[in-house]
Amino acid sequence: MDLLIQHLPALQVVLPMLAAPIVMLMARTPRLAWAATTLVTWLTLGVAILLAQQILATGPISYHMGGWMPPVGIEYYVDSANIFVLLIISLMGAISMPFALRSVEQEVDKTKHGLFYAAFLLANCGLLGITITGDAFNIFVFFEISALASYALIAMGKDRRAVMSSYQYLVMGTVGTTFLLIGIGFMYIMTGTLNLIDLGERLPEVNDTATIRAAFAFLAVGISLKLALFPLHLWLPNAYTYAPSMITVFLSATATKVAIYVLLRFIFSVFGYEFSFEELNMGYVLMPLALLGILIPSIVAIFQTNIKRMLAYSSVAQVGYMILGISFASTLGLMASVVHLFNHAITKAALFMALACIIYRVGSVSLDRMSGIAKQMPWTMAAFALAGLSLIGIPLTAGFVTKWHLLLAALEGGLWPVAVFLLGTSLLATIYIWKVVEAAYLKEPAEGVQPVREAPPSLLLPTWALTLACLYFGIETSLPVDMATRAAETLMGGYL
Amino acid sequence: MEWLGLYNYWVVVVLMMVGFYIVIAQGNLVKKIVGLNIFQTSVFIFFISLAKLDGGTAPVYVEGVTDYSNPLPHVLILTAIVVGVALTAMGLALVVRVHELYGSIEEDEIHEQDGKH
């Protein structure tokens, strides 16, 4: 048992990685493949929780891969910042698996289930790896592992456009990670190290060189492509719209969040607050992009008739909120961003799950097919409406916690126009959520459309678990807020 | 003529721009993958050339030699090449699927078949 506890950081990544080829061999027994994958995702969640307890008790954990001492060996470094992200990823993986069984059975070809779940585990492993590693090159490799698996998963969507959107994601994603690699190369020339902590210590000496500025620019642009920062978001709406429902749920809750974490790690821990915000004035670049990124995709979302696509655009807008929090360059703003990683993950996953329930019964989520659906699927639509309130940011929901702290951070920085803007854009979210609620509750079904039954319990239960979480964490806010505050303080302090 | 001495970096920059331009400008899905490959290869060359030390030899201990090339970038790029191969395979596999589904690998023809999206 002691041995297991000692190697928890490695297990976090190795568990899904080793399970993937085994699950792949279960191609002939899809149910077994599903059961094995579910078990692994729950074990991964267990590992993350144990790690969190350990960090609370003893502080940051430094794990030396293969026993090689950092900075030469690869180090896995877990502190209060990345444990929060690790918990989000493993929690979303664990919750989306019970949901996957029926949804995937219907949407993915039976012969591909083994491969599907294997790719899902690899995507999971890649995302966890990006988060936990303390080595810059490792981040690149894990980015590619999760991205390659995601391309395959998205391409398994039913619609033929899924393949094309996966291809577009591949081209843009590869450009993004290659930019990341160039940035890492520049940093390596100047410092001779790849360890993030070591980089953080050595960069200040060479900060005023053009090479380090170029490294910063390449890293920022590359990661922004991965996190879908407006206007680099073009791959996201199609990928989310045509991917199998379960993959949309998982990726929308985790993939962009992890990229935001990497951006935070680089600008705060590696380059440091002073270099990023005082010398390069990162805030002046991020804030306009964040504001435009909230405004324009929100307006575009209003005009979508495919609801999955509408929520995909809303995801781009939500990334804008997270970047806005970073651009305030204050602990409070950063904390709002970090807590939104969690709040948006549960909210958006609940919304996409509700849509997946409708896709399961109706086969489509176009606005006209959803007319009057609330009478036929009352539980599904109730979940959608409640999670929608959280997306808008109504008090007593998780979304409000973020909006509130963003507002406080804006006022603290004396940026009252931004505060007004925040309230105004919530109105835009109200419009697009209302459009769906109006169609589902107030309109009559179109003539000649077969009525459908409520979604099966195996789909409804995870949906409602997340919906109730949106409400619970809106009322009892202390757990995510405490963790996010600790994460923000750690990031602001750099590596100490 | 100091800038000529850095010719390896000039090669990297030219290759990078050529690759990136192909990715943006070409409508053919296979050519885009080729462009992506050139783009990535330029970064590989960049890493390899930054590891080179003038007069340095291979990083194997030899009596009387004091200068060695840095082996770490070589190792990194070995990994990056593997990643690049996997990406190329994935990209080409997707192109094969696109060809099966649309009967074309020209971007504008595919978009035409799908309407505006």
Side-chain angles (χ1 to χ4, degrees), chain A residues 258-304:
Chain A
V258 169
I260 288 174
Y261 160 75
V262 174
L263 185 69
L264 289 175
R265 205 38 131 189
F266 273 111
I267 61 181
F268 285 102
S269 303
V270 175
F271 287 102
Y273 175 84
E274 276 173 25
F275 180 70
S276 307
F277 286 100
E278 281 168 16
E279 250 182 79
L280 293 186
N281 287 321
M282 191 67 177
Y284 291 140
V285 183
L286 288 181
M287 194 176 287
L289 288 179
L291 294 177
L292 283 175
I294 296 170
L295 188 65
I296 296 172
S298 294
I299 294 173
V300 175
I302 294 175
F303 294 103
Q304 300 302 318

Side-chain angles (χ1 to χ4, degrees), chain A residues 137 144 148 152 155 160-161 163 166-168 170-171 174-175 178-179 181-182 185-186 188-189 194 309, chain B residues 16 20 23 29 32 39-40 43 46-47 50 70 72 76 83 87 90 94-95 98 101-102 113-114 117:
Chain A
F137 191 76
E144 288 293 19
L148 279 165
R160 67 173 178 177
R161 279 170 284 187
V163 182
S166 168
Y167 178 88
Q168 269 161 347
L170 182 137
V171 171
T174 307
V175 171
T178 310
F179 271 36
L181 188 58
I182 298 170
F186 279 152
Y188 181 72
I189 303 182
L194 290 166
R309 199 181 183 79
Chain B
M16 190 182 285
F20 205 36
V23 173
L29 300 189
K32 265 184 197 287
F39 179 55
Q40 283 192 312
V43 182
F46 164 67
F47 266 79
L50 73 86
N70 186 347
L72 187 67
L76 299 181
V83 169
L87 265 168
M90 183 73 215
L94 284 173
V95 176
V98 167
L101 294 165
Y102 290 87
Q113 285 187 39
D114 274 338
H117 291 307

Side-chain angles (χ1 to χ4, degrees), chain A residues 370-381:
Chain A
M370 284 178 74
S371 297
I373 199 88
K375 284 202 191 78
Q376 297 155 21
M377 305 178 75
W379 287 98
T380 306
M381 272 319 292

